[in-house]
Amino acid sequence: MASVTLTVNGKTITRDIDPRTLLVEFLREHMRLTGTHVGCDTTQCGCCTVHVDGKALKSCTLLAVAVDGSTIMTIEGLAKGEDLHPMQAAFREYHGLQCGFCTPGMIMSAVDMVRRKGTDLDDKTIREELEGNICRCTGYHNIVKAIHYGAEAMGKAGTAAE
Amino acid sequence: MSGTGIGARVQRKEDFRFITGKGQYTDDVNCYGQAHAVFLRSPHAHADIVSIKLDAARDMAGVVDIFTGDDLAADKIGGLICGWMIHSKDGSPMKAGAHPALAQGKVRYVGDHVAVVIAETQAQARDAMEKIEVDYKVLSPVVSMADAVRAGAPVLHDVAPHNIVYNWSLGDEAAADAAFATAAHVTKLDIINNRLVPNAMEPRAAVGDYNSGSGGFTLYTTSQNPHVARLVLSAFIGIAPEHKLRVIAPDVGGGFGSKIFIYAEETVCVWAAKKVGRPVKWVADRTEAFLSDAHGRDHVTHAEMALDASGKILGLRVKTRANLGAYLSTFSSCVPTYLYAPLLSGQYDIPAIYAEVDGIYTNTAPVDAYRGAGRPEATFVIERMVEVAAREMKQDPAEFRRRNFVRNFPHQTPVIMCYDAGDYDASMTKALEMADYKNIGARKAASAKKGLLRGVGFSAYIEACGIAPSAAVGSLGAGVGLWESAEVRVNPVGTVEILTGSHSHGQGHETTFAQLVSERLGISIDNVAIIHGDTDKVQMGMGTYGSRSGAVGMSALSKALDKIETKAKKVAGFVLEASPDDIEFKDGKFSVRGTDKEIDFASVALQAYIAHKFNGQELEPGLKESAFWDPTNFTFPAGVHICEVEIDPATGVTRIDRWTAVDDFGNVINPMIVEGQVHGGIAQGVGQALLEGAVYDANGQLVTASYMDYAMPRADDLPSYDVGMTQTACPSNPLGIKGCGEAGAIAAPPAVMNAITDALGHEEIAMPATPLAVWRAAQRLAPRAAAE
């Protein structure tokens, strides 16, 4: 067993875990945060994307012990109570989701995209930056639109730098 | 009314939970005390199992139990079934080999199920699985259809000599031959429809639970049709009678057909829950999904079209071999037959059509319905054929299509279908305008200046959706009727619960079904809850596939709402002291005709339950109604998609520059959701045309079994889509709905391939048109172009 301490969505916890526990398993099974999904288990599809110390990482091939001491943000930590994060609101407004399975990863990637690329995102940039997130339902058209307007809204709300 | 009725572009009610991570998918379900199942799968495409040694595996830490096919057989658990009987043209029934959930003596594809290990954790189950020793006697596999039917080829199932499941035909062969005898021109084409893996982002999963107190089983599973799953698991596989088996399909992360079927894993999990006395959970990893989800398409076709001198189509002959894989999956037999050949007439008036389809066993994963199911394959044949015919006859492809369009409805084709309504010219006209087709020449020239090849491709597709009239499908071999059910429960405060047999796995039923209720009862969608996916709540249903939820599921809801209105008028009559015949219902209010006496819907609901205003013997208390709707015909969505590509001949890279879609889906409930369905369908069709293909090597190993090897469409592979609509109401259901779920996937592949072959000077090329394949074709074209 190995001891791991993580701050997840603002809450610090320490657990003894099997050292081969993946970060996504830690989040889903130890913390019951099931919003982070496993779509491919090989870092291809991006359904498991979370923020580790502010950067988007895929949690399905990351050992929990490897990020010991880190601050993690999952999809459950993005909204402030009932107040949606602007990127979440944009996905709903522009119909950027259908089955919802890739959506948490898409939104976490999109928020990170804004952190790295700014709030004025053109379609080409968004499409290139989504290379690591696969959606089978939407054909991406409305995801691209949602991220464009979500980024813009983050700029207006001042949440881009958070 | 409240602005959330039919036609309103309202945001989806289900989205809040999905965007906040609160969706409840099967893998999010955890039952107290659950153990984890892992399946040992065959590494060989074709082998006899000589022996299985479990001792070392049983000794591993955390192992609860291990089962093989013998254990299932000892418990008299039946094999998986195929629910659609196809008869060969000689009248003999299809040759269906046994399909045990865990192999019994033989494995027939890589990924076939050999044993299940149940352990405290998934990791322990995997560790123990490694210790199982299986002695295989490896047999020669048949991987391609050509191999399978070769004389002396190894046989997968003794009941199916030469690996032929059926030789089926449709249409009048003599009439077709007569048409060819008078033809001024004959177009011939060999067509391959590539094999695809559906790849819903949520992998399949199952949690089985058994309550020894009640003797009842519960199965949580990733299903598009939990009632069908319960029926099959009960009546055919023999897990438990239906009243002792509850099947719950919670949030499901995409299906595209692959989650219609009843698979080995959920069968084993629910059975094993009783054996081990604990809940048993299994979740597929992505490679398991590639290996064992039912694949799609995989046809090899030769087609011939007879034309007169003006370009009028006289007849069509089609010969197809369809790969059905190693076993017949739940609905596999009907996909390349009754969901395929009846669509070969396309949007065209073709007097004579004859089709033959051979269903073939191979040592590959089972093949079944995948988004469109048979109709994309038919559309690919007819739309490639008309494009090539137009080219050969030196006619404009749009004009050529118009020359042959069906214009009088109803139109009986020579292959079963009777098209009820449509206006194909309207869609073509609008699409040409949106695509700026008149300036294609200038755009081609501009591309040529940059050293690039530009091409334009049409697809004037039709599909048969809203499956289907029960009597009709019964006469064609279906083991079930394809009606749908709905129940409307009005609460005393006037809020409404809808129970539907349709299942939503991305389609947004919680919104669209609520919109219909909103429209009819004059209440906000916020006061409507849609309940689906649980056999203990919804009595019976046939589920969601074949673009049927709107046309069939909502028609059932409409019928139940009719009954609610009738009953509510009676209640209102008592309250307002008037005859029910004098009660009018409009905008959520009941009023007495010609007076100012009125009562709103919520008050009527309350009165229905307190029942003080009427004698409960004269009128039953309560406000709850249910209905079953059996369609009177298929529905026929149709449209025109135009794809414009630009190819770099130096690299072979194809870029889609423009996509125009004009679809006629009849009446539309929520245009935002319909457009989303079109986008997603096109993406899957473009994926088939440019990127995707399941590839087995000569030994039957699936070499495209991960996202590193199977090219899923990413955002930067796809364009934005210009989506428009035309409308002819569907006369075959009360809402005029045709269905939209599969259109894009049906329309897109021929549009892309017609565009690419246009750009490549009519050089033929197979799907997927990868950069290498396109580059090779461009190399063939270059010397020809230079000579010209």
Side-chain angles (χ1 to χ4, degrees):
Chain A
M1 296 301 255
S3 175
V4 168
T5 301
L6 293 171
T7 302
V8 181
N9 300 335
K11 203 167 111 190
T12 301
I13 65 156
T14 300
R15 287 282 165 87
D16 285 331
I17 58 170
D18 183 345
R20 61 182 165 176
T21 304
L22 297 163
L23 177 59
V24 70
E25 292 169 344
F26 186 86
L27 295 170
R28 289 180 54 82
E29 287 159 28
H30 293 256
M31 301 203 66
R32 289 285 182 253
L33 292 170
T34 55
T36 302
H37 299 147
V38 180
C40 73
D41 51 78
T42 51
T43 328
Q44 295 292 311
C45 78
C47 292
C48 65
T49 306
V50 298
H51 292 176
V52 179
D53 295 330
K55 291 179 183 169
L57 287 178
K58 292 177 178 176
S59 61
C60 76
T61 47
L62 197 56
L63 291 169
V65 292
V67 292
D68 187 21
S70 296
T71 298
I72 313 287
M73 166 93 86
T74 72
I75 188 70
E76 289 93 341
L78 208 52
K80 293 195 168 71
E82 293 286 299
D83 290 338
L84 293 174
H85 184 282
M87 192 59 79
Q88 290 173 309
F91 267 71
R92 180 165 68 177
E93 185 174 353
Y94 293 96
H95 190 31
L97 65 149
Q98 290 181 23
C99 81
F101 196 80
C102 76
T103 309
M106 283 282 177
I107 291 174
M108 298 310 280
S109 283
V111 171
D112 187 57
M113 193 189 303
V114 175
R115 180 183 66 79
R116 290 179 293 108
K117 299 279 174 178
T119 56
D120 184 16
L121 295 172
D122 62 29
D123 284 9
K124 189 168 184 292
T125 303
I126 296 169
R127 285 181 184 277
E128 281 174 9
E129 290 291 323
L130 281 181
E131 181 66 25
N133 289 80
I134 303 177
C135 169
R136 192 56 149 170
C137 294
T138 65
Y140 303 100
H141 181 108
N142 286 340
I143 289 178
V144 172
K145 220 158 122 183
I147 293 175
H148 175 84
Y149 289 108
E152 201 175 271
M154 283 172 70
K156 284 180 189 153
T159 49
E162 279 179 16
Chain B
M1 75 126 292
S2 57
T4 57
I6 290 175
R9 195 177 273 274
V10 294
Q11 291 181 16
R12 298 202 318 171
K13 283 162 60 79
E14 46 271 83
D15 283 356
F16 185 83
R17 71 174 185 273
F18 294 136
I19 57 181
T20 54
K22 300 293 167 56
Q24 180 83 352
Y25 301 88
T26 299
D27 189 20
D28 303 336
V29 172
N30 293 293
C31 295
Y32 182 75
Q34 75 190 6
H36 295 265
V38 167
F39 287 83
L40 176 67
R41 294 173 184 280
S42 172
H44 303 295
H46 199 189
D48 286 327
I49 298 174
V50 179
S51 67
I52 304 177
K53 288 186 187 144
L54 301 175
D55 295 348
R58 284 190 191 282
D59 289 343
M60 293 290 287
V63 171
V64 174
D65 214 334
I66 304 176
F67 300 110
T68 67
D70 289 345
D71 299 301
L72 285 169
D75 270 11
K76 299 192 166 43
I77 297 300
L80 307 178
I81 63 154
C82 177
W84 198 303
M85 172 53 72
I86 298 296
H87 287 88
S88 287
K89 56 188 174 187
D90 66 5
S92 63
M94 68 185 186
K95 304 193 169 48
H99 188 182
L102 294 175
Q104 291 175 358
K106 195 172 179 185
V107 286
R108 294 180 176 85
Y109 67 101
V110 172
D112 204 353
H113 313 70
V114 177
V116 61
V117 181
I118 298 167
E120 297 295 336
T121 70
Q122 192 189 47
Q124 287 174 328
R126 281 181 198 278
D127 287 344
M129 185 183 75
E130 300 289 328
K131 298 290 182 187
I132 297 177
E133 292 172 46
V134 184
D135 184 9
Y136 293 102
K137 184 184 161 211
V138 177
L139 305 170
S140 299
V142 289
V143 179
S144 70
M145 289 191 278
D147 283 348
V149 299
R150 190 167 292 142
V155 172
L156 272 76
H157 299 273
D158 293 340
V159 296
H162 313 295
N163 299 310
I164 292 171
V165 183
Y166 48 67
N167 304 112
W168 174 87
S169 69
L170 184 68
D172 184 337
E173 185 174 18
D177 290 347
F180 278 82
T182 64
H185 180 80
V186 174
T187 290
K188 297 180 182 181
L189 202 57
D190 290 303
I191 294 167
I192 293 172
N193 205 290
N194 45 328
R195 186 184 185 108
L196 305 175
V197 184
N199 272 307
M201 294 316 297
E202 179 205 23
R204 286 191 296 117
V207 186
D209 192 10
Y210 176 70
N211 183 324
S212 58
S214 67
F217 291 85
T218 302
L219 171 65
Y220 297 86
T221 184
T222 48
S223 175
Q224 299 176 218
N225 37 221
H227 293 87
V228 177
R230 183 178 68 162
L231 176 67
V232 171
L233 288 166
S234 291
F236 298 94
I237 296 176
I239 297 292
E242 282 174 286
H243 68 296
K244 294 286 187 190
L245 174 58
R246 177 184 187 182
V247 178
I248 301 172
D251 286 329
V252 173
F256 314 113
S258 68
K259 293 172 182 169
I260 297 171
F261 322 121
I262 290 76
Y263 289 92
E265 293 88 353
E266 57 260 29
T267 302
V268 170
C269 281
V270 71
W271 165 79
K274 183 179 177 184
K275 294 295 280 187
V276 302
R278 293 170 63 174
V280 175
K281 179 174 187 173
W282 167 79
V283 182
D285 65 30
R286 183 52 61 180
T287 289
E288 283 187 287
F290 273 104
L291 291 174
S292 67
D293 289 3
H295 293 181
R297 319 285 192 251
D298 207 349
H299 286 195
V300 175
T301 294
H302 176 75
E304 299 182 349
M305 181 177 275
L307 301 123
D308 75 9
S310 73
K312 175 82 187 67
I313 304 169
L314 303 173
L316 183 68
R317 282 193 298 227
V318 174
K319 176 96 176 91
T320 293
R321 270 186 189 157
N323 195 341
L324 297 174
Y327 301 97
L328 296 186
S329 174
T330 316
F331 289 110
S332 58
S333 55
C334 72
V335 175
T337 49
Y338 287 112
L339 296 183
Y340 168 67
L343 275 300
L344 284 169
S345 195
Q347 297 186 0
Y348 312 109
D349 181 9
I350 304 178
I353 299 175
Y354 178 68
E356 286 185 8
V357 179
D358 294 345
I360 310 288
Y361 277 130
T362 61
N363 291 112
T364 62
V367 179
D368 206 322
Y370 167 58
R371 200 171 192 170
R375 292 150 292 166
E377 295 91 317
T379 300
F380 195 70
V381 170
I382 186 72
E383 284 306 290
R384 292 284 2 260
M385 288 296 286
V386 294
E387 193 80 20
V388 171
R391 286 170 188 170
E392 288 175 354
M393 301 194 79
K394 305 207 181 317
Q395 294 187 17
D396 176 81
E399 286 312 308
F400 180 88
R401 284 175 169 84
R402 281 193 200 274
R403 177 164 293 120
N404 288 288
F405 274 164
V406 169
R407 289 198 176 78
N408 299 309
F409 297 89
H411 172 80
Q412 179 62 53
T413 73
V415 276
I416 300 177
M417 293 300 179
C418 182
Y419 300 166
D420 53 4
D423 184 346
Y424 308 143
D425 284 300
S427 295
M428 179 61 87
T429 301
K430 188 166 179 175
L432 290 173
E433 220 174 271
M434 283 169 60
D436 188 27
Y437 183 63
K438 63 178 189 297
N439 290 314
I440 180 65
R443 290 197 296 278
K444 281 186 174 178
S447 294
K449 266 193 181 165
K450 295 184 283 180
L452 304 173
L453 307 168
R454 182 174 287 264
V456 62
F458 289 80
S459 176
Y461 75 96
I462 189 166
E463 48 171 333
C465 292
I467 56 174
S470 296
V473 295
S475 74
L476 302 178
V480 290
L482 289 172
W483 43 264
E484 195 47 86
S485 76
E487 184 176 327
V488 180
R489 297 178 178 173
V490 181
N491 296 317
V493 293
T495 59
V496 175
E497 282 146 29
I498 302 299
L499 293 89
T500 169
S502 297
H503 187 276
S504 186
H505 29 279
Q507 295 89 342
H509 295 172
E510 287 169 49
T511 308
T512 50
F513 279 55
Q515 284 183 258
L516 174 58
V517 178
S518 173
E519 176 83 20
R520 294 288 300 276
L521 301 183
I523 60 177
S524 163
I525 55 170
D526 296 334
N527 291 331
V528 184
I530 307 298
I531 295 158
H532 65 95
D534 183 340
T535 61
D536 261 15
K537 293 179 179 168
V538 180
Q539 184 242 336
M540 189 57 194
M542 294 311 296
T544 289
Y545 40 82
S547 306
R548 69 192 302 274
S549 300
V552 189
M554 289 181 81
S555 292
L557 175 55
S558 175
K559 203 173 154 188
L561 288 166
D562 289 344
K563 295 183 186 176
I564 287 285
E565 190 176 322
T566 302
K567 172 79 183 282
K569 277 180 175 170
K570 288 180 186 165
V571 176
F574 279 104
V575 177
L576 300 175
E577 296 173 339
S579 158
D581 296 339
D582 292 332
I583 302 288
E584 284 182 334
F585 182 52
K586 203 173 163 232
D587 297 335
K589 289 197 166 55
F590 298 87
S591 58
V592 182
R593 194 174 288 117
T595 74
D596 59 357
K597 290 205 289 185
E598 65 173 33
I599 181 172
D600 67 11
F601 178 76
S603 303
V604 167
L606 184 63
Q607 292 295 335
Y609 286 96
I610 61 175
H612 294 169
K613 298 284 185 184
F614 55 90
N615 179 343
Q617 306 307 311
E618 204 172 335
L619 180 67
E620 273 183 40
L623 196 50
K624 181 181 91 162
E625 298 286 352
S626 63
F628 286 69
W629 165 259
D630 200 355
T632 57
N633 192 357
F634 288 82
T635 65
F636 298 96
V640 173
H641 287 216
I642 303 177
C643 169
E644 208 169 307
V645 299
E646 199 173 51
I647 291 170
D648 184 342
T651 62
V653 171
T654 299
R655 184 180 67 85
I656 296 176
D657 186 46
R658 288 161 176 249
W659 195 285
T660 306
V662 176
D663 301 290
D664 177 358
F665 298 132
N667 294 335
V668 165
I669 306 292
N670 183 329
M672 176 191 84
I673 287 176
V674 168
E675 287 161 12
Q677 290 291 314
V678 173
H679 297 163
I682 295 170
Q684 285 178 330
V686 171
Q688 169 165 29
L690 293 183
L691 299 159
E692 298 178 43
V695 178
Y696 283 92
D697 73 9
N699 297 317
Q701 293 292 335
L702 183 63
V703 294
T704 52
S706 81
Y707 288 153
M708 292 290 277
D709 307 299
Y710 184 94
M712 286 283 279
R714 264 83 167 176
D716 59 355
D717 296 315
L718 294 165
S720 288
Y721 321 100
D722 197 4
V723 174
M725 282 178 205
T726 57
Q727 275 185 355
T728 58
C730 176
S732 306
N733 61 63
L735 300 170
I737 293 176
K738 295 186 181 180
C740 64
E742 298 158 293
I746 292 168
V752 175
M753 298 312 292
N754 286 338
I756 289 176
T757 51
D758 181 47
L760 292 173
H762 307 173
E763 281 288 330
E764 283 297 320
I765 173 176
M767 297 190 289
T770 60
L772 177 62
V774 172
W775 180 81
R776 281 183 176 146
Q779 296 305 303
R780 295 195 297 272
L781 175 67
R784 206 183 83 199
E788 282 165 7

